[in-house]
Amino acid sequence: MSELNKQFHEPLLNVLRCVADDKLFLGHRNSDWTGIAPILEADIAFSSLAQDDIAHASAFYELMNTISGEDPDQIAFGRTADAYRCADIVTKSDDFNWANAIARQFYCNLYDYHRLLRLSNCTWAPLATLAKRICAEQTVHVDHVGSWIDHLGNGNDDSKQRLQTALDDYAPYASMLSEKPDGIDTLFEGGILIDEGCLFTQWKEHVDTVLGTAGMKAHIDIPSARGGRTGNHDDDFALSLTELQEVFSTDPLAAW
Amino acid sequence: MLSKARTNVPLATGELQTSEVDAFPVWEVFTQKKEGDAHLHAGSLSAPDASFAQQFAREHYGQDQECVSMWVGLRNTFIAKDGESETYEVFVRWKAGGRHEHVGKVEAGNGAEAKNKCTEQFAREKEFYTIWTAPISKLTKIDGATDMIWRETTDQGYRLPRGYSRIVRQKWDALRAEQAVNAYQEEDLKETF
Amino acid sequence: MSASANVEVNINDCAKADPEKLAAFEKHVAEGGLIEPNDWMPEAYRSLMLRMAEHHANSEIVGALPEGEWITKAPSLLRKLALTAKVQDEVGHGQMLYEVAQDLGKTRNAMLRDLITGVTKYHNCFNYPCPTWADICMIAWLIDGAAILNQGTLAHGSFGPYIRTMRRINMEEAFHFKHGEDMVLTLMSGTDKQKQMAQEAFDRWWDPSLAFFGPNDRPDERERPAMKWRMKTATNDELRQKFVNRFAPAAMATGLVINVCKKDADGLVVSKKPDPLLKHNEETGNWDFTQPDWDEFIKVIRGNGPCNKDRLALRRFSYEQGEWVRRAILDGATDAPCNN
Ligand SMILES: [Fe+2]
Ligand SMILES: [Fe+2]
């Protein structure tokens, strides 16, 4: 790739893998609600956002392709579990509970928004351009999930309790979103990405603000252990991956 | 393996276990395809309040085709005859089977007056079918320039027929003789439009 | 139907069919005129239109279930996006059609509850299984192809809200069909295993596609209300013939064989032979074909098909699981319009 020095290829690919895999699997899980969500209008809307996420993942895989030459479908579908870099919140089972789906969506959408804002300042133009474009769409997601937090949090006692429980259940997984991707320091040092201070803090402040107006709270901490970002995934991820690859893996070289 | 949300579905029959929640109010949605076009009635939806109505409208009627602006309002607002003195957006359905189309604004004391003014100003010479009016304060307006509606940053071709025409033609050509292709494609989608 | 700003007609007052009004109504419809909800219409027209829109809406949202199962397994990024969008469109079709039906006098809740308790029906073809990815390809090509033919004629009907909805829906069906065609062509240009998958799925879906258009015409078909009042503009057999004329030669051109199949209780094919009647009839200009198995069709429509129970159970589960959400957002509703 033109101006990107070879030494930054692998670190940048790894950062992109984190972003794209998060989006792919979040979209993968959310698309599963198409046709069975609580309200037809909400069903349509949630599916639309899931499509955005998959489309965004696609765009990032295509960008990776310009660096590595690898086919986007092969990147998305053709890896073994330990080569995926998503945080496991994206595949944590929602057990067909809308409160879970909304909690997961909330943490992830806000995190993505702040991460994309930072990638928009990348000094490698192709990434900056793409991140800027996607970030504009991401605001729609932040808005939409904000409506849900607002309505469920300010709904009735039942919904308050359900949403708070879901937020609590997902909080430890949410923390894992902010695990640092390998190679990002190399990109900071090389001036490819700009280190703009603590992404975690910025994200957490945003989370707290939105939840505050809905009378909800979240306990997210800086992650202590390393998980998805190093390819170390849990059982729910494994189930999602099996599903993702079910047809593809019957003949990975065939066109589908 | 079945997907997670769809596993362990109990095979229940008989009476429903839940009581019925009241119906949500109905909202009318207008979309504008491009700058300068009139806002056209896109359809209706059910939502508990204005904030969800616009969220739902954006993801449903705002994603069919390019859309640069949308207006959402309670159905009752459009047919009401009462109301306050203010600016009203006025919409005309020219004939049965057609869609309400935005024709302009009028200043009026209430819905009935707005409808009369609309008839005088916009539909005096022409036959028309029904008029809807809505005070501006009761419409939620979403402007695509500041609030994204239609997503054009990634290719939307995957959910439009035109996204497939070229590749489908190539595959047919590769698969069989040209002559037979033509016979089939002559009829292609004729019934659709 | 003269120009009239917001003339509110009380439908119930008009229910006592008035022979003069009825004659005027029928003349208007026969001349190609359109009916809007506030116009006078015979009670029978209203209830028939309601039932038609409700059945159509039910079919869209139940139709979203078999395909929905495959969204998470779609084998490429494009297929994943397209299948999600397709199933989403079907939910959207259901939503819009429920709005049409609701304006004719039945609440959406009542319609959803009648659907899941088996009081009302949905399209029979969604009671068959989709054991492989190729089934998804065939549904999109054949069933959506059939739906386009059918809905194309419905868009020339007499009821304004319904035909407006049909026009919108058909644009999306065109995408479903084109994507289906792309998927079938991909399989048929693929490996031997893919071709075999496609043929097996085609064997499962050819019969339901023929049956899609409904039972054979009665002798008095054109005199019955649905056609007399222009809710339907083509008969079942006409549409079926049109479908075969288009799809039989196309299927054969891809290398697919049109078989007459026997199926077991699970909807899986146990034996098959090439359709002995299938040929282009020079005299009529149509393709001759073997009728679908109507006995089996009736059995399935009565609720004893391979997937009737699963489909309703999932629909019901979804409805019951969503109850608290509907209640909560109504309780949390605010009423100010939000001008951004
Ligand atoms: Fe449909
Ligand atoms: Fe369809």
Side-chain angles (χ1 to χ4, degrees):
Chain A
M1 198 58 222
S2 51
E3 300 142 41
L4 188 68
N5 193 308
K6 226 172 167 143
Q7 72 186 102
F8 299 122
H9 283 194
E10 188 39 46
L12 190 60
L13 283 172
N14 194 56
V15 168
L16 292 175
R17 231 172 259 140
C18 295
V19 180
D21 291 351
D22 277 356
K23 282 222 170 247
L24 174 67
F25 279 96
L26 183 65
H28 174 71
R29 286 280 47 109
N30 288 346
S31 65
D32 199 9
W33 280 91
T34 311
I36 51 181
I39 299 154
L40 297 175
E41 284 82 354
D43 193 313
I44 296 161
F46 207 58
S47 183
S48 175
L49 304 178
Q51 288 166 50
D52 280 349
D53 279 326
I54 298 166
H56 295 166
S58 254
F60 281 115
Y61 292 135
E62 270 156 33
L63 185 64
M64 289 168 71
N65 165 276
T66 66
I67 304 173
S68 70
E70 215 189 328
D71 174 61
D73 279 322
Q74 289 295 332
I75 310 177
F77 289 81
R79 284 173 281 164
T80 53
D82 59 357
Y84 286 90
R85 288 292 177 271
C86 46
D88 286 350
I89 183 174
V90 291
T91 46
K92 178 170 160 52
S93 169
D94 53 47
D95 298 317
F96 204 7
N97 174 344
W98 190 248
N100 286 343
I102 294 301
R104 182 178 62 195
Q105 178 82 337
F106 172 66
Y107 289 127
C108 293
N109 285 180
L110 267 57
Y111 189 81
D112 263 328
Y113 172 72
H114 290 284
R115 180 164 56 182
L116 286 163
L117 267 185
R118 291 179 174 218
L119 292 176
S120 307
N121 296 330
C122 173
T123 58
W124 184 52
L127 175 54
T129 311
L130 181 65
K132 231 173 258 157
R133 277 165 41 197
I134 292 181
C135 193
E137 298 193 354
Q138 192 68 25
T139 58
V140 174
H141 292 224
V142 170
D143 234 44
H144 190 90
V145 78
S147 283
W148 276 105
I149 296 290
D150 176 36
H151 280 78
L152 296 181
N154 295 310
N156 52 31
D157 289 345
D158 179 39
S159 69
K160 281 177 194 165
Q161 201 206 324
R162 285 175 191 261
L163 181 61
Q164 188 57 61
T165 306
L167 287 164
D168 292 343
D169 288 351
Y170 278 78
Y173 291 84
S175 298
M176 293 156 77
L177 280 166
S178 61
E179 271 181 43
K180 219 172 178 184
D182 284 339
I184 196 163
D185 288 331
T186 313
L187 298 172
F188 287 147
E189 284 154 23
I192 306 297
L193 292 179
I194 317 290
D195 189 350
E196 296 170 80
C198 190
L199 175 58
F200 174 84
T201 314
Q202 207 177 17
W203 166 55
K204 188 178 182 321
E205 274 171 19
H206 194 173
V207 164
D208 290 342
T209 310
V210 177
L211 292 184
T213 61
M216 298 281 114
K217 49 189 181 306
H219 306 282
I220 43 176
D221 296 309
I222 293 181
S224 45
R226 310 232 48 201
R229 302 277 185 238
T230 57
N232 187 9
H233 296 286
D234 64 13
D235 292 348
D236 278 358
F237 173 81
L239 286 172
S240 265
L241 182 62
T242 309
E243 217 178 332
L244 183 88
Q245 295 177 329
E246 185 179 309
V247 178
F248 175 88
S249 64
T250 55
D251 190 344
L253 296 177
W256 291 98
Chain B
M1 187 189 76
L2 260 184
S3 89
K4 275 231 147 189
R6 297 165 202 269
T7 46
N8 307 320
V9 174
L11 279 181
T13 49
E15 284 293 291
L16 286 165
Q17 297 306 303
T18 55
S19 61
E20 195 172 314
V21 177
D22 289 346
F24 295 160
V26 176
W27 303 75
E28 302 294 351
V29 182
F30 288 80
T31 53
Q32 183 188 30
K33 232 180 128 174
K34 56 179 198 297
E35 203 77 35
D37 283 5
H39 282 76
L40 271 180
H41 186 236
S44 56
L45 57 80
S46 302
D49 59 13
S51 125
F52 260 133
Q54 62 108 0
Q55 292 287 355
F56 293 161
R58 186 200 304 251
E59 301 308 322
H60 184 4
Y61 295 108
Q63 301 303 314
D64 303 331
Q65 51 189 354
E66 280 88 325
C67 173
V68 296
S69 159
M70 64 198 310
W71 298 347
V72 186
L74 260 185
R75 169 174 291 176
N76 290 344
T77 308
F78 293 92
I79 51 177
K81 301 209 162 79
D82 57 356
E84 304 287 309
S85 178
E86 64 166 302
T87 307
Y88 285 74
E89 301 286 5
V90 290
F91 309 85
V92 179
R93 169 181 282 156
W94 295 105
K95 54 183 204 295
R99 299 153 70 178
H100 280 94
E101 174 190 312
H102 181 241
V103 293
K105 291 182 207 300
V106 296
E107 296 295 329
N110 56 44
E113 192 190 330
K115 287 175 180 65
N116 283 334
K117 281 198 166 172
C118 174
T119 316
E120 283 162 28
Q121 288 182 29
F122 301 101
R124 197 180 359 198
E125 305 295 312
K126 281 194 201 160
E127 234 183 71
F128 64 94
Y129 196 78
T130 40
I131 289 176
W132 278 358
T133 59
I136 286 184
S137 67
K138 297 232 165 111
L139 282 180
T140 299
K141 294 189 170 185
I142 314 170
D143 180 357
T146 48
D147 279 288
M148 181 164 292
I149 304 170
W150 171 253
R151 327 269 214 270
E152 51 194 352
T153 57
T154 44
D155 181 16
Q156 300 294 309
Y158 72 87
R159 52 194 189 81
L160 299 170
R162 65 170 149 83
Y164 300 91
S165 15
R166 199 173 49 90
I167 185 85
V168 162
R169 212 173 314 119
Q170 283 171 0
K171 283 176 186 169
W172 272 121
D173 287 349
L175 210 62
R176 60 185 200 149
E178 195 102 17
Q179 198 191 355
V181 176
N182 294 339
Y184 170 74
Q185 286 190 339
E186 229 162 71
E187 292 291 306
D188 195 26
L189 298 181
K190 239 188 220 162
E191 308 300 326
T192 316
F193 303 106
Chain C
M1 314 290 132
S2 58
S4 52
N6 282 305
V7 176
E8 301 293 336
V9 179
N10 187 333
I11 288 163
N12 291 329
D13 288 346
C14 304
K16 310 149 203 146
D18 169 331
E20 267 169 45
K21 277 186 178 163
L22 183 64
F25 171 88
E26 292 196 326
K27 181 164 176 284
H28 177 72
V29 168
E31 288 168 357
L34 298 175
I35 306 297
E36 290 291 343
N38 286 345
D39 295 333
W40 185 88
M41 64 186 93
E43 184 56 33
Y45 178 92
R46 201 174 60 83
S47 69
L48 201 58
M49 201 59 241
L50 167 60
R51 267 175 20 223
M52 192 164 151
E54 182 181 12
H55 181 273
H56 197 161
N58 287 348
S59 306
E60 298 283 358
I61 66 163
V62 176
L65 302 179
E67 289 179 281
E69 280 176 16
W70 285 88
I71 287 176
T72 53
K73 305 172 196 174
S76 76
L77 291 161
L78 172 66
R79 298 292 179 233
K80 203 172 181 62
L81 280 169
L83 184 59
T84 310
K86 176 187 196 277
V87 180
Q88 178 202 32
D89 284 348
E90 308 299 9
V91 178
H93 300 169
Q95 184 270 336
M96 292 186 284
L97 286 160
Y98 278 130
E99 293 286 325
V100 172
Q102 179 162 286
D103 292 346
L104 288 163
K106 187 170 176 184
T107 67
R108 187 194 294 183
N109 262 324
M111 289 187 276
L112 287 173
R113 293 170 85 90
D114 279 353
L115 167 63
I116 56 192
T117 50
V119 175
T120 52
K121 297 264 179 270
Y122 53 90
H123 208 294
N124 206 36
C125 63
F126 302 116
N127 287 321
Y128 295 96
C130 295
T132 72
W133 172 253
D135 292 75
I136 295 306
C137 308
M138 290 303 164
I139 289 180
W141 191 45
L142 298 175
I143 299 292
D144 286 81
I148 288 184
L149 286 178
N150 183 34
Q151 292 169 178
T153 68
L154 293 176
H156 301 294
S158 60
F159 190 56
Y162 191 67
I163 62 172
R164 276 192 291 279
T165 309
M166 283 308 111
R167 285 192 209 122
R168 264 192 52 111
I169 286 183
N170 285 342
M171 311 247 222
E172 294 173 348
E173 299 297 1
F175 140 53
H176 304 170
F177 165 71
K178 273 289 158 201
H179 179 237
E181 189 180 23
D182 182 30
M183 292 193 289
V184 170
L185 289 171
T186 305
L187 291 182
M188 293 309 290
S189 332
T191 65
D192 287 349
K193 206 169 148 191
Q194 285 177 309
K195 286 182 195 162
Q196 192 194 335
M197 267 174 91
Q199 179 65 52
E200 287 172 2
F202 184 78
D203 291 337
R204 283 188 286 276
W205 287 98
W206 179 250
D207 233 29
S209 306
L210 297 179
F212 178 90
F213 300 97
N216 290 126
D217 297 346
R218 297 200 206 165
D220 65 344
E221 199 62 40
R222 290 183 179 281
E223 298 313 309
R224 299 174 69 202
M227 291 204 79
K228 201 169 69 176
W229 291 337
R230 226 160 31 80
M231 294 167 178
K232 283 173 70 172
T233 59
T235 72
N236 298 353
D237 282 333
E238 285 166 4
L239 289 167
R240 188 167 12 251
Q241 185 65 59
K242 228 172 176 172
F243 175 84
V244 176
N245 288 353
R246 277 204 72 201
F247 282 84
M252 290 190 290
T254 68
L256 289 163
V257 179
I258 296 172
N259 290 310
V260 174
C261 302
K262 282 224 156 17
K263 293 181 189 170
D264 62 14
D266 295 328
L268 302 177
V269 173
V270 285
S271 71
K272 62 180 176 188
K273 58 167 200 280
D275 183 348
L277 299 184
L278 191 79
K279 68 164 191 343
H280 188 256
N281 185 326
E282 300 299 332
E283 263 168 55
T284 60
N286 289 326
W287 280 78
D288 294 342
F289 62 98
T290 299
Q291 289 283 321
D293 182 345
W294 290 115
D295 292 338
E296 190 250 14
F297 176 80
I298 286 162
K299 194 188 83 187
V300 178
I301 234 173
R302 292 206 173 121
N304 300 314
C307 302
N308 301 50
K309 290 190 181 64
D310 293 334
R311 301 283 183 251
L312 281 187
L314 181 53
R315 198 59 252 161
R316 179 189 182 110
F317 190 55
S318 152
Y319 184 81
E320 293 191 322
Q321 292 293 303
E323 188 74 8
W324 73 267
V325 181
R326 294 188 290 274
R327 197 177 299 284
I329 67 173
L330 196 59
D331 288 347
T334 48
D335 56 12
C338 35
N339 268 308
N340 328 41

